[in-house]
PDB file of all heavy atoms in Angstrom:
ATOM      1  N   PRO A 139     -28.534  12.918   8.477  1.00  0.00           N
ATOM      2  CA  PRO A 139     -28.991  13.285   9.780  1.00  0.00           C
ATOM      3  C   PRO A 139     -28.742  14.849  10.088  1.00  0.00           C
ATOM      4  O   PRO A 139     -28.983  15.291  11.270  1.00  0.00           O
ATOM      5  CB  PRO A 139     -28.103  12.492  10.742  1.00  0.00           C
ATOM      6  CG  PRO A 139     -26.807  12.347   9.956  1.00  0.00           C
ATOM      7  CD  PRO A 139     -27.222  12.232   8.502  1.00  0.00           C
ATOM      8  N   GLU A 140     -28.358  15.593   9.162  1.00  0.00           N
ATOM      9  CA  GLU A 140     -27.980  17.009   9.421  1.00  0.00           C
ATOM     10  C   GLU A 140     -28.962  17.778  10.114  1.00  0.00           C
ATOM     11  O   GLU A 140     -28.683  18.516  11.081  1.00  0.00           O
ATOM     12  CB  GLU A 140     -27.528  17.683   8.108  1.00  0.00           C
ATOM     13  CG  GLU A 140     -26.161  17.282   7.530  1.00  0.00           C
ATOM     14  CD  GLU A 140     -26.266  16.105   6.655  1.00  0.00           C
ATOM     15  OE1 GLU A 140     -27.239  15.451   6.661  1.00  0.00           O
ATOM     16  OE2 GLU A 140     -25.293  15.932   5.881  1.00  0.00           O
ATOM     17  N   VAL A 141     -30.262  17.779   9.788  1.00  0.00           N
ATOM     18  CA  VAL A 141     -31.310  18.626  10.374  1.00  0.00           C
ATOM     19  C   VAL A 141     -31.385  18.286  11.892  1.00  0.00           C
ATOM     20  O   VAL A 141     -31.797  19.134  12.677  1.00  0.00           O
ATOM     21  CB  VAL A 141     -32.587  18.530   9.739  1.00  0.00           C
ATOM     22  CG1 VAL A 141     -32.491  19.170   8.306  1.00  0.00           C
ATOM     23  CG2 VAL A 141     -33.125  17.093   9.672  1.00  0.00           C
ATOM     24  N   ARG A 142     -31.044  17.088  12.295  1.00  0.00           N
ATOM     25  CA  ARG A 142     -31.126  16.781  13.766  1.00  0.00           C
ATOM     26  C   ARG A 142     -30.033  17.475  14.538  1.00  0.00           C
ATOM     27  O   ARG A 142     -30.096  17.549  15.831  1.00  0.00           O
ATOM     28  CB  ARG A 142     -31.044  15.331  13.933  1.00  0.00           C
ATOM     29  CG  ARG A 142     -32.325  14.554  13.541  1.00  0.00           C
ATOM     30  CD  ARG A 142     -32.350  13.174  13.941  1.00  0.00           C
ATOM     31  NE  ARG A 142     -33.568  12.469  13.536  1.00  0.00           N
ATOM     32  CZ  ARG A 142     -33.789  11.174  13.641  1.00  0.00           C
ATOM     33  NH1 ARG A 142     -32.871  10.380  14.126  1.00  0.00           N
ATOM     34  NH2 ARG A 142     -34.989  10.619  13.250  1.00  0.00           N
ATOM     35  N   VAL A 143     -28.982  17.924  13.917  1.00  0.00           N
ATOM     36  CA  VAL A 143     -27.901  18.667  14.604  1.00  0.00           C
ATOM     37  C   VAL A 143     -27.858  20.177  14.209  1.00  0.00           C
ATOM     38  O   VAL A 143     -26.870  20.851  14.321  1.00  0.00           O
ATOM     39  CB  VAL A 143     -26.504  18.024  14.406  1.00  0.00           C
ATOM     40  CG1 VAL A 143     -26.483  16.678  15.103  1.00  0.00           C
ATOM     41  CG2 VAL A 143     -26.135  17.853  12.976  1.00  0.00           C
ATOM     42  N   GLY A 144     -28.979  20.549  13.549  1.00  0.00           N
ATOM     43  CA  GLY A 144     -29.234  21.981  13.374  1.00  0.00           C
ATOM     44  C   GLY A 144     -28.674  22.585  12.076  1.00  0.00           C
ATOM     45  O   GLY A 144     -28.566  23.800  12.015  1.00  0.00           O
ATOM     46  N   ILE A 145     -28.314  21.680  11.189  1.00  0.00           N
ATOM     47  CA  ILE A 145     -27.828  22.249   9.917  1.00  0.00           C
ATOM     48  C   ILE A 145     -28.601  21.576   8.763  1.00  0.00           C
ATOM     49  O   ILE A 145     -29.111  20.540   8.859  1.00  0.00           O
ATOM     50  CB  ILE A 145     -26.328  21.963   9.657  1.00  0.00           C
ATOM     51  CG1 ILE A 145     -25.950  20.542   9.959  1.00  0.00           C
ATOM     52  CG2 ILE A 145     -25.488  22.900  10.621  1.00  0.00           C
ATOM     53  CD1 ILE A 145     -24.508  20.106   9.663  1.00  0.00           C
ATOM     54  N   PRO A 146     -28.664  22.228   7.585  1.00  0.00           N
ATOM     55  CA  PRO A 146     -29.380  21.573   6.449  1.00  0.00           C
ATOM     56  C   PRO A 146     -28.302  20.710   5.649  1.00  0.00           C
ATOM     57  O   PRO A 146     -27.143  20.881   5.809  1.00  0.00           O
ATOM     58  CB  PRO A 146     -29.718  22.788   5.535  1.00  0.00           C
ATOM     59  CG  PRO A 146     -28.619  23.880   5.827  1.00  0.00           C
ATOM     60  CD  PRO A 146     -28.296  23.695   7.337  1.00  0.00           C
ATOM     61  N   SER A 147     -28.886  19.767   4.888  1.00  0.00           N
ATOM     62  CA  SER A 147     -28.043  18.999   4.045  1.00  0.00           C
ATOM     63  C   SER A 147     -27.784  19.861   2.717  1.00  0.00           C
ATOM     64  O   SER A 147     -28.770  20.374   2.216  1.00  0.00           O
ATOM     65  CB  SER A 147     -28.756  17.668   3.632  1.00  0.00           C
ATOM     66  OG  SER A 147     -28.857  16.967   4.731  1.00  0.00           O
ATOM     67  N   VAL A 148     -26.542  20.029   2.308  1.00  0.00           N
ATOM     68  CA  VAL A 148     -26.273  20.906   1.275  1.00  0.00           C
ATOM     69  C   VAL A 148     -25.270  20.229   0.263  1.00  0.00           C
ATOM     70  O   VAL A 148     -25.201  19.024   0.227  1.00  0.00           O
ATOM     71  CB  VAL A 148     -25.631  22.252   1.826  1.00  0.00           C
ATOM     72  CG1 VAL A 148     -26.643  23.024   2.626  1.00  0.00           C
ATOM     73  CG2 VAL A 148     -24.446  21.938   2.669  1.00  0.00           C
ATOM     74  N   VAL A 149     -24.595  21.094  -0.434  1.00  0.00           N
ATOM     75  CA  VAL A 149     -23.663  20.702  -1.543  1.00  0.00           C
ATOM     76  C   VAL A 149     -24.209  19.501  -2.341  1.00  0.00           C
ATOM     77  O   VAL A 149     -25.302  19.506  -2.942  1.00  0.00           O
ATOM     78  CB  VAL A 149     -22.248  20.645  -1.126  1.00  0.00           C
ATOM     79  CG1 VAL A 149     -21.722  22.043  -0.673  1.00  0.00           C
ATOM     80  CG2 VAL A 149     -21.992  19.661   0.096  1.00  0.00           C
ATOM     81  N   HIS A 150     -23.489  18.344  -2.319  1.00  0.00           N
ATOM     82  CA  HIS A 150     -23.846  17.206  -3.134  1.00  0.00           C
ATOM     83  C   HIS A 150     -25.002  16.415  -2.667  1.00  0.00           C
ATOM     84  O   HIS A 150     -25.403  15.410  -3.369  1.00  0.00           O
ATOM     85  CB  HIS A 150     -22.629  16.390  -3.446  1.00  0.00           C
ATOM     86  CG  HIS A 150     -21.686  17.169  -4.401  1.00  0.00           C
ATOM     87  ND1 HIS A 150     -20.980  18.296  -3.970  1.00  0.00           N
ATOM     88  CD2 HIS A 150     -21.400  17.043  -5.715  1.00  0.00           C
ATOM     89  CE1 HIS A 150     -20.317  18.822  -4.977  1.00  0.00           C
ATOM     90  NE2 HIS A 150     -20.622  18.078  -6.133  1.00  0.00           N
ATOM     91  N   ALA A 151     -25.653  16.812  -1.621  1.00  0.00           N
ATOM     92  CA  ALA A 151     -27.046  16.283  -1.341  1.00  0.00           C
ATOM     93  C   ALA A 151     -27.974  16.699  -2.520  1.00  0.00           C
ATOM     94  O   ALA A 151     -28.984  15.997  -2.724  1.00  0.00           O
ATOM     95  CB  ALA A 151     -27.556  16.870  -0.038  1.00  0.00           C
ATOM     96  N   ALA A 152     -27.575  17.679  -3.242  1.00  0.00           N
ATOM     97  CA  ALA A 152     -28.362  18.027  -4.453  1.00  0.00           C
ATOM     98  C   ALA A 152     -28.443  16.918  -5.525  1.00  0.00           C
ATOM     99  O   ALA A 152     -29.238  17.038  -6.448  1.00  0.00           O
ATOM    100  CB  ALA A 152     -27.798  19.340  -5.023  1.00  0.00           C
ATOM    101  N   LEU A 153     -27.506  16.023  -5.432  1.00  0.00           N
ATOM    102  CA  LEU A 153     -27.584  14.872  -6.315  1.00  0.00           C
ATOM    103  C   LEU A 153     -28.697  13.820  -6.014  1.00  0.00           C
ATOM    104  O   LEU A 153     -29.159  13.120  -6.865  1.00  0.00           O
ATOM    105  CB  LEU A 153     -26.235  14.058  -6.362  1.00  0.00           C
ATOM    106  CG  LEU A 153     -25.001  14.803  -6.971  1.00  0.00           C
ATOM    107  CD1 LEU A 153     -23.731  13.966  -6.603  1.00  0.00           C
ATOM    108  CD2 LEU A 153     -25.154  14.960  -8.444  1.00  0.00           C
ATOM    109  N   LEU A 154     -29.141  13.916  -4.788  1.00  0.00           N
ATOM    110  CA  LEU A 154     -30.069  12.816  -4.273  1.00  0.00           C
ATOM    111  C   LEU A 154     -31.359  12.875  -5.127  1.00  0.00           C
ATOM    112  O   LEU A 154     -31.867  11.813  -5.506  1.00  0.00           O
ATOM    113  CB  LEU A 154     -30.355  13.052  -2.862  1.00  0.00           C
ATOM    114  CG  LEU A 154     -29.187  12.681  -1.944  1.00  0.00           C
ATOM    115  CD1 LEU A 154     -29.490  12.925  -0.483  1.00  0.00           C
ATOM    116  CD2 LEU A 154     -28.701  11.259  -2.079  1.00  0.00           C
ATOM    117  N   PRO A 155     -32.010  14.070  -5.389  1.00  0.00           N
ATOM    118  CA  PRO A 155     -33.312  14.055  -6.161  1.00  0.00           C
ATOM    119  C   PRO A 155     -33.029  13.433  -7.610  1.00  0.00           C
ATOM    120  O   PRO A 155     -33.861  12.799  -8.120  1.00  0.00           O
ATOM    121  CB  PRO A 155     -33.645  15.480  -6.231  1.00  0.00           C
ATOM    122  CG  PRO A 155     -33.066  16.167  -5.109  1.00  0.00           C
ATOM    123  CD  PRO A 155     -31.734  15.429  -4.843  1.00  0.00           C
TER     124      PRO A 155
END
Side-chain angles (χ1 to χ4, degrees):
E140 284 87 345
V141 292
R142 287 191 179 171
V143 293
I145 53 176
S147 296
V148 294
V149 294
H150 288 71
L153 291 170
L154 294 176

